[in-house]
Amino acid sequence: MRALLLLLLAGCWGRNIPYEGGSGEGGDDTAPVVTTCGEDVDRSAGFTVEGPTSSAADGSLAAEGLCVQAVDPGPALTGGEPTVIASSQVCADGSYVVGPIDTAPTVGMFVMIDDCDGAKDTLMKSATGIAPEQYADLGPGDTLTIEAIFATREWVSVEQADLERVGWSGDLAASGYMAGIVEDATPAPVSGATVGCSGCATVFYEDASADDGIYGADTSANASTLAEAGGLFMIPGAPIFTYTCEDGGTHTWGSKLLGSLPEYAVYTRFTAQ
């Protein structure tokens, strides 16, 4: 997840990135590929990233026409803006196809879902991370399937209220957050796992009952993940740090260099080895 660190340090990517760059190498003045629902993708020119969309609130699909971008953070290394490699829109069935990507970023990339410029602001800017090893061996005609998670403004308001219920104070939409799923190797959500960063942040864990707050029973916060709640965790304003995950030895997860960005919902997965 080195890509995430680069993006967070840059602090400048998002909805208003001008469509500059192209192949992901930086300095390329060609326009990025723009597609709609994949019907005009030249798959012979590179690999595509595609898959379902999923609401962080209830797993529902994204609305047709929302904007999707594949983003290369590489130019941020030299003080520039991350490059939009390819752009598309959510299809009628809630899926997306973005590509072709002919030259893959070496530091990783993101699938971004957001309202398009000029559209009503219904979503928090939502980024799902893709590690470079996930596409290292892909070429023309290949497909990488990624579930792109997104957060609506309405859901962020629910998260805000329920975090306050268990003692957190702040402005979630302004601070941004990092959230994710803890799962086994199959993959299936795991109960009893904790995410940590040597005390650098407070971690909250979702449960399946909204009646008394999604992060605990009234004012008592959940202490670990719950499989019935999707193994979900959340860290408001997550600092850039090395995060670990453990459940007493039942599963083993690799550590991740992670963090969040103001005004962004950043999503990741801890998948057991």
Side-chain angles (χ1 to χ4, degrees):
M1 293 300 291
R2 183 178 171 216
L4 178 58
L5 176 61
L6 296 175
L7 289 173
L8 300 179
L9 291 175
C12 58
W13 56 292
R15 179 180 306 156
N16 296 317
I17 294 175
Y19 282 9
E20 300 173 351
S23 68
E25 287 298 289
D28 184 347
D29 293 329
T30 59
V33 179
V34 179
T35 69
T36 302
C37 297
E39 68 270 14
D40 54 352
V41 174
D42 179 7
R43 294 177 184 270
S44 68
F47 71 89
T48 60
V49 181
E50 54 193 82
T53 59
S54 178
S55 167
D58 57 12
S60 61
L61 301 171
E64 180 181 8
L66 287 170
C67 281
V68 182
Q69 299 173 340
V71 179
D72 170 19
L77 287 171
T78 55
E81 290 186 338
T83 301
V84 176
I85 307 167
S87 298
S88 186
Q89 292 181 324
V90 175
C91 306
D93 64 356
S95 66
Y96 72 94
V97 179
V98 63
I101 299 170
D102 60 350
T103 303
T106 59
V107 295
M109 61 182 177
F110 280 80
V111 173
M112 294 278 302
I113 299 183
D114 194 16
D115 303 290
C116 300
D117 283 341
K120 182 179 179 181
D121 188 15
T122 64
L123 300 187
M124 194 162 174
K125 292 170 280 190
S126 305
T128 300
I130 307 174
E133 56 266 26
Q134 291 180 268
Y135 54 78
D137 298 324
L138 300 185
D142 291 330
T143 296
L144 176 63
T145 300
I146 296 291
E147 180 183 50
I149 303 174
F150 65 95
T152 65
R153 292 286 179 184
E154 182 179 7
W155 176 243
V156 174
S157 294
V158 172
E159 293 177 312
Q160 171 80 41
D162 286 353
L163 285 169
E164 291 175 357
R165 180 179 248 176
V166 293
W168 183 79
S169 61
D171 184 337
L172 190 61
S175 68
Y177 63 82
M178 182 181 77
I181 298 168
V182 179
E183 57 194 12
D184 63 21
T186 59
V190 168
S191 287
T194 57
V195 175
C197 55
S198 299
C200 76
T202 300
V203 184
F204 298 91
Y205 303 94
E206 286 192 27
D207 60 40
S209 175
D211 294 342
D212 56 359
I214 59 174
Y215 297 109
D218 291 321
T219 60
S220 179
N222 296 322
S224 62
T225 60
L226 293 165
E228 57 268 32
L232 288 161
F233 69 91
M234 132 94 78
I235 307 173
I240 300 168
F241 214 89
T242 298
Y243 290 81
T244 60
C245 186
E246 66 88 27
D247 65 351
T250 303
H251 302 87
T252 301
W253 292 274
S255 61
K256 292 177 178 285
L257 184 61
L258 298 171
S260 62
L261 181 70
E263 300 183 356
Y264 278 78
V266 176
Y267 290 96
T268 189
R269 290 177 182 268
F270 278 94
T271 304
Q273 298 170 346

